[in-house]
Amino acid sequence: MPAPERIPSRSVTTTSVELLAHGELSVRGRIREASNAVLFCSVAYEGESATCVYKPVAGERPLWDFPDGTLAQREVAAYEVDAAMGWGLVPPTVLREEGPYGAGMCQLWIEAAPDGTAPELLALVDRQEPADGWKAIGFAEVDEGRTALLVHADDPRLRRLAVLDAVINNADRKGGHLLPTADGRLYGIDHGVTFNTEDKLRTLLWGWAGEPLTDEAVEVLDRLATDLDSGPLAARLPDLITQAELTALRARVAGLRTSGRHPAPSGDWPAIPWPPV
């Protein structure tokens, strides 16, 4: 199958979830860089149309440390949690029982801003300390015997994403999973390895580790805790993740509210995903 043609998606509207859930999917190409089957599709429903990503469950590779459920279910659960938090960091995502290759996840296609047109989010610099406006991640080997400092922008959008990743226990926040758009928004994608009951947080967004959470984040976590206990989210998530994973999710939110700080690497799990981009 040929590589997909890059077609700008229409803007996200209140009908996006309905369109993705009920529209007719037409496969237009395959994204070959992905480790699991990822198909680029068009979707049409009642006069509305868009482009989207479709990840059939049949195309998933089993993971020994994520034995329960599917990657597709976790992708949808990540969207549901983000939607409840109100930050709009995860593109609209639904679980479809039917598709060209069976059940799977369907997510609105987000067109990233062309290279050089959006503020830089990640960089390698020949410094020992980050410059103003940047946060240090760690040192990386760039040539034989030479290292450089890996940094990310001190950007409020990234900081929100760091909180979301801590909540959903994201084990794979790479640079390639960050999509800044031409209108100034930032999206995060690829949330299949999330919600594990063990601490598996692996991310490039460690720059705020140990720092106090923002007042906004504290308020969002307070609302999320209520939603997870007795709100709509409490009713939706059991269809997507296990009861043990839901219990661990509630515990992570409670832990963040108690500490009031961004988490730091535990030392029990590689802190940075590989490859980082």
Side-chain angles (χ1 to χ4, degrees):
M1 186 176 292
E5 177 187 5
R6 298 302 177 108
I7 299 175
S9 290
R10 66 183 181 85
S11 59
V12 178
T13 73
T14 55
T15 63
S16 293
V17 169
E18 184 179 19
L19 172 64
L20 293 170
H22 303 295
E24 181 179 355
L25 285 175
S26 299
V27 177
R28 304 181 64 160
R30 181 174 181 176
I31 300 174
R32 298 189 179 277
E33 298 87 354
S35 56
N36 296 282
V38 181
L39 304 176
F40 179 73
C41 299
S42 58
V43 60
Y45 180 69
E46 294 188 347
E48 292 278 346
S49 64
T51 49
C52 62
V53 170
Y54 162 54
K55 298 183 181 181
V57 172
E60 295 181 3
R61 296 180 182 180
L63 298 173
W64 67 268
D65 51 346
F66 286 85
D68 300 312
T70 65
L71 304 184
Q73 287 172 296
R74 293 189 185 93
E75 293 248 30
V76 178
Y79 165 71
E80 293 286 355
V81 170
D82 173 61
M85 295 173 77
W87 281 338
L89 295 167
V90 181
T93 311
V94 303
L95 191 66
R96 291 179 59 117
E97 294 301 323
E98 297 181 355
Y101 296 98
M105 173 277 264
C106 193
Q107 184 176 82
L108 192 71
W109 178 270
I110 299 298
E111 191 69 28
D115 290 344
T117 63
E120 196 172 18
L121 298 175
L122 297 166
L124 276 170
V125 295
D126 290 320
R127 302 172 58 105
Q128 294 299 306
E129 298 290 338
D132 290 344
W134 293 88
K135 291 284 188 177
I137 303 168
F139 289 95
E141 185 174 333
V142 291
D143 292 314
E144 191 170 333
R146 188 173 76 88
T147 61
L149 183 63
L150 181 61
V151 297
H152 66 67
D154 188 2
D155 186 308
R157 301 170 303 170
L158 287 180
R159 193 165 189 172
R160 286 177 170 181
L161 196 58
V163 175
L164 172 65
D165 284 343
V167 167
I168 65 177
N169 198 15
N170 191 353
D172 197 31
R173 174 61 71 205
K174 298 176 179 177
H177 299 166
L178 304 175
L179 296 181
T181 63
D183 63 359
R185 295 196 62 174
L186 176 70
Y187 292 93
I189 60 171
D190 286 345
H191 298 107
V193 285
T194 49
F195 296 101
N196 203 290
T197 56
E198 300 179 10
D199 178 14
K200 291 187 179 291
L201 183 60
R202 289 195 305 176
T203 176
L204 287 176
L205 305 180
W206 286 117
W208 297 282
E211 292 187 15
L213 296 167
T214 64
D215 291 343
E216 178 199 39
V218 171
E219 292 176 5
V220 166
L221 290 169
D222 288 345
R223 293 199 309 269
L224 181 62
T226 300
D227 203 348
L228 285 169
D229 182 52
S230 58
L233 200 56
R236 288 196 292 267
L237 287 182
D239 292 332
L240 300 170
I241 59 177
T242 68
Q243 186 58 50
E245 289 168 339
L246 181 54
T247 298
L249 169 61
R250 291 185 176 120
R252 285 193 299 274
V253 173
L256 288 167
R257 295 173 68 207
T258 298
S259 72
R261 294 181 177 274
H262 288 268
S266 66
D268 299 327
W269 180 256
I272 297 175
W274 190 262
V277 178

